[in-house]
């Protein structure tokens, strides 16, 4: 059964592989240009010094065309850059096989290199496989081989061919790179959509069954009292964990950016509520990670200083170009002056872990607190 699953997986991967049309076009190109090479030999048959050498050359080119066409049509060939490099080496060798049909002196006097435009195949293959750099490498290699056959004295005559090879390698390389990035994003989008659909399906099932049971256990445990309270607490923790799992979004980002909400949702506990917008809030990954560290430090302060029964709320607001992040608790509170005294006494958790980190991010921090009224931190940072 495993091979069947593997083939199915490959088929699904090919279905969203935007590079596939380029590989198919390359296969068609190799076949057509081999036909052109055969026609060129037939049309110049009387002018070929050794016709048998031309037949051998065309036969080798035909066999190699079949080999690479099979490879480029298969998943392994499209993922194997070594095949494109092998194509480059064999193609250069086929160019030199022209010497079996025409003496070098005749070639440098104007006789055709019998591979003709077929020799551009590996340039396109390397452009598709390795992008711009691969295309330019293939073009330079074929150009040098052509120049060595034609001779330095004929460099001006082969300049147009060299230019076409370089342009083809450059354009196809850029196009392949763009399509490869598009394929990656498309796959991520499809994966995220599939994950979201599956999560919604599971959420409905969990909500209808498991969460209701956990809520009932909480109520009955607290009502019974005694050891049942511990069971109620465990049920509350599991309920929060399941709700967090149901709310968590895929960790997809764009060009080094990540969803801040996705990073904050796992911080929810029976005493910590995390409230985030329905839409993603994308921030640079380093900035989002630093903000999560700030929130953890603030919640740690709640645990240490706000009192054993204190609850906390983490709220994210998207202000367009900025993000407002607030952490509020209903604990014993303190005074702003007391925070300054603690900083002066060497208690640097608030100063360095919260204020210092936000300042390093170019943001601002506001704290409001009073005895018996809890503490609220408001942090505002840019989304860029």
């Amino acid at each position: 059964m495993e091979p069947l699953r593997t083939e199915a997986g490959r088929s699904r991967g090919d279905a969203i592989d935007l590079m596939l049309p380029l590989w198919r076009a390359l296969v068609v190109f190799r076949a057509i240009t081999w036909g052109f090479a055969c026609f060129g030999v037939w049309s110049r048959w009387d002018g070929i010094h050794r016709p048998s050498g031309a037949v051998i050359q065309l036969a080798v080119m035909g066999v190699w065309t079949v080999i690479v066409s099979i490879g480029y049509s298969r998943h392994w060939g499209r993922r194997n850059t070594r095949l494109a490099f092998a194509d480059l080496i064999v193609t250069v060798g086929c160019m030199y096989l022209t010497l079996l049909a025409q003496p070098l002196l005749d070639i440098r006097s104007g006789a055709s290199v019998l591979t003709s435009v077929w020799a551009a195949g590996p340039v396109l293959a390397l452009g598709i496989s390795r992008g711009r750099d691969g295309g330019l490498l293939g073009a330079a290699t074929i150009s040098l081989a052509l120049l060595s056959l034609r001779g330095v004295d004929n460099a001006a005559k082969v300049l147009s061919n060299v230019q076409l090879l370089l342009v083809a390698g450059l354009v196809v390389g850029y196009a392949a790179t763009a399509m490869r990035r598009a394929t990656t994003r498309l796959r991520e989008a499809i994966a995220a959509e599939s994950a979201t659909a599956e999560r919604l399906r599971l959420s409905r099932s969990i909500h209808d069954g498991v969460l209701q049971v956990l809520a009932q256990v909480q109520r009955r445990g607290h009502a019974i009292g005694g050891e049942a309270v511990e069971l109620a607490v465990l049920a509350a923790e599991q309920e929060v964990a399941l709700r967090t799992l149901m709310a968590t979004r895929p960790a997809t980002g764009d060009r080094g950016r990540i969803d801040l909400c996705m990073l904050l949702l796992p911080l929810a506990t029976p005493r910590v509520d995390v409230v985030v917008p329905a839409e993603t809030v994308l921030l640079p990954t380093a900035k989002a990670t630093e903000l999560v560290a700030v929130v953890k430090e603030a919640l740690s302060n709640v645990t240490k200083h706000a009192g054993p029964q204190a609850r906390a709320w983490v709220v994210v607001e998207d202000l367009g170009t900025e993000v407002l992040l607030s952490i509020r608790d209903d604990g014993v509170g303190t005074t702003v002056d007391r925070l300054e005294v603690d900083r002066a006494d060497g208690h640097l958790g608030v100063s360095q872990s919260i204020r210092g980190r936000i300042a390093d991010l170019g943001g601002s921090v506001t704290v409001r607190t009073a005895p018996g009224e809890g503490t609220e931190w408001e942090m505002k940072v840019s989304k860029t």
Side-chain angles (χ1 to χ4, degrees), residues 257-332:
R257 301 171 71 83
I258 196 168
D259 184 12
L260 175 64
C261 304
M262 181 275 302
L263 298 178
L264 291 176
L265 284 171
L267 300 182
T269 70
R271 295 193 180 277
V272 177
D273 291 332
V274 179
V275 182
V276 300
E279 301 296 328
T280 59
V281 179
L282 294 178
L283 296 178
T285 302
K287 180 176 287 188
T289 303
E290 194 70 3
L291 283 176
V292 173
V294 169
V295 173
K296 288 181 178 179
E297 179 62 27
L299 293 177
S300 176
N301 286 336
V302 173
T303 302
K304 294 176 183 177
H305 307 298
Q309 301 302 318
R311 292 183 58 85
W313 292 264
V314 179
V315 181
V316 178
E317 295 183 58
D318 190 347
L319 304 181
T321 59
E322 294 180 316
V323 174
L324 179 63
L325 183 61
S326 63
I327 303 102
R328 179 172 60 87
D329 68 71
D330 60 359
V332 297

Side-chain angles (χ1 to χ4, degrees), residues 170-242:
L170 187 64
V171 171
V172 172
Y174 271 120
T177 300
M179 295 183 72
R180 188 173 290 107
R181 291 172 180 170
T183 299
T184 300
R185 293 181 184 176
L186 179 59
R187 286 175 175 167
E188 290 176 351
I190 292 175
E193 182 180 0
S194 300
T196 300
E198 180 65 13
R199 192 177 298 277
L200 288 175
R201 186 187 68 80
L202 291 175
S203 296
R204 289 192 293 268
S205 176
I206 291 173
H207 186 272
D208 292 340
V210 180
L211 290 180
Q212 293 182 11
V213 172
L214 291 175
Q216 181 68 12
V217 171
Q218 288 183 65
R219 289 193 296 270
R220 294 294 297 165
H222 286 296
I224 295 172
E227 295 182 356
V229 174
E230 182 179 353
L231 183 61
V233 171
L234 292 175
E237 292 176 352
Q238 293 305 309
E239 181 185 3
V240 171
L242 282 174

